[in-house]
Amino acid sequence: MSADTRSHRTAGWTGPGRRQPVQQRSQERYGRILDACAALLDEAGPAALTTKEVAQRAQVPIGTLYQFFAGKEDLLAALAGRNLDRYLHRLDDRLRAGAPSGPAGFTDLAVDEFVAMKRTVPGFGQVDFGLSGPAAPGRVHDDRHLLDAELDNNTAVALRLQALGGDLFGTTDPGALTLALRVALEAADAVLKLAFRGDRDGDPAMITECKRLVRCYLADLLGPR
């Protein structure tokens, strides 16, 4: 895979924050704010998260936080976008190193990398590519659209996965592949939630069943290669 192709396939998400940092010092503060947000999510969950606490944890003035983010929703959206970018880069590295065969190989690597991040990346258990739990009562923000204002989170993720590994699926119908990946993501999301509900490392049997479910679905729909 060429560097140009890799860059295209894993092109970074740009979130709804007020401005994206350019200078190194601003980039460091931006990253520190997101790191603080992730840590607080693990401690208290999204409902209790406040911009004031995030700024204090990141050791930046609250005004600095608001230079980058319009509020709590922008923070969560930016964290979800960063999570997705990191996931895709890590998955791309594994794809290039492992040369998987067809949908089954892609599925196994994709689930394994998601599980690895679930276990090790701060905040990922609360906000992977979107909020994992119900929105707080009275919120007008639609948490299904943290990544994109028009697309639901799993459709946005499906399109990025399609760009990353679409040639492994052996189909010439991009629309059908997008739909298949979206359904596969919805199914995998539900099973992995069960896997991590009572086990912080994920129930191995549930993780195995998640892979089997997605492999069988994609093989039946797209055909083996």
Side-chain angles (χ1 to χ4, degrees), residues 19 38 108 113 146 189 205 221-222:
R19 70 179 177 90
D108 286 354
E113 189 54 53
L146 281 181
D189 188 51
L221 190 67
L222 304 174

Side-chain angles (χ1 to χ4, degrees), residues 28-216:
E28 291 173 351
R29 284 184 171 183
Y30 186 91
R32 202 159 72 237
I33 291 169
L34 291 184
D35 290 343
C37 178
L40 286 167
L41 282 170
D42 281 340
E43 293 174 13
L49 187 75
T50 67
T51 54
K52 180 179 178 181
E53 289 178 331
V54 171
Q56 289 175 343
R57 177 67 64 93
Q59 297 183 327
V60 300
I62 189 68
T64 298
L65 184 149
Y66 282 118
Q67 288 177 1
F68 300 120
F69 307 101
K72 173 178 171 179
E73 293 168 4
D74 276 357
L75 267 173
L76 294 174
L79 183 61
R82 187 177 75 167
N83 285 343
L84 178 56
D85 284 344
R86 289 181 173 179
Y87 172 75
L88 290 168
H89 280 291
R90 289 169 59 149
L91 179 57
D92 187 46
D93 288 341
R94 295 184 71 161
L95 289 169
R96 291 187 297 116
S101 174
F106 185 88
T107 294
D108 286 354
L109 285 181
V111 173
D112 284 342
E113 189 54 53
F114 185 89
V115 168
M117 291 185 69
K118 198 87 166 173
R119 291 169 175 166
T120 62
V121 175
F124 198 83
Q126 294 289 337
V127 176
D128 40 54
F129 314 133
L131 286 180
S132 59
R139 287 185 62 179
V140 297
H141 181 65
D142 187 348
D143 294 320
R144 295 171 301 175
H145 293 269
L146 281 181
L147 294 171
D148 190 286
E150 297 181 356
L151 302 174
D152 66 83
N153 293 330
N154 277 339
T155 299
V157 176
L159 287 169
R160 295 286 297 275
L161 287 174
Q162 185 171 346
L164 179 64
D167 53 345
L168 295 171
F169 291 94
T171 178
T172 57
D173 187 343
L177 180 55
T178 302
L179 178 60
L181 290 174
R182 181 185 177 190
V183 173
L185 284 166
E186 294 285 354
D189 188 51
V191 177
L192 290 175
K193 278 185 172 65
L194 286 175
F196 282 88
R197 183 172 296 169
D199 187 337
R200 62 181 301 173
D201 290 324
D203 181 345
M206 281 284 189
I207 294 169
T208 297
E209 287 304 293
C210 175
K211 293 179 183 178
R212 188 166 73 92
L213 182 154
V214 175
R215 284 198 305 260
C216 290

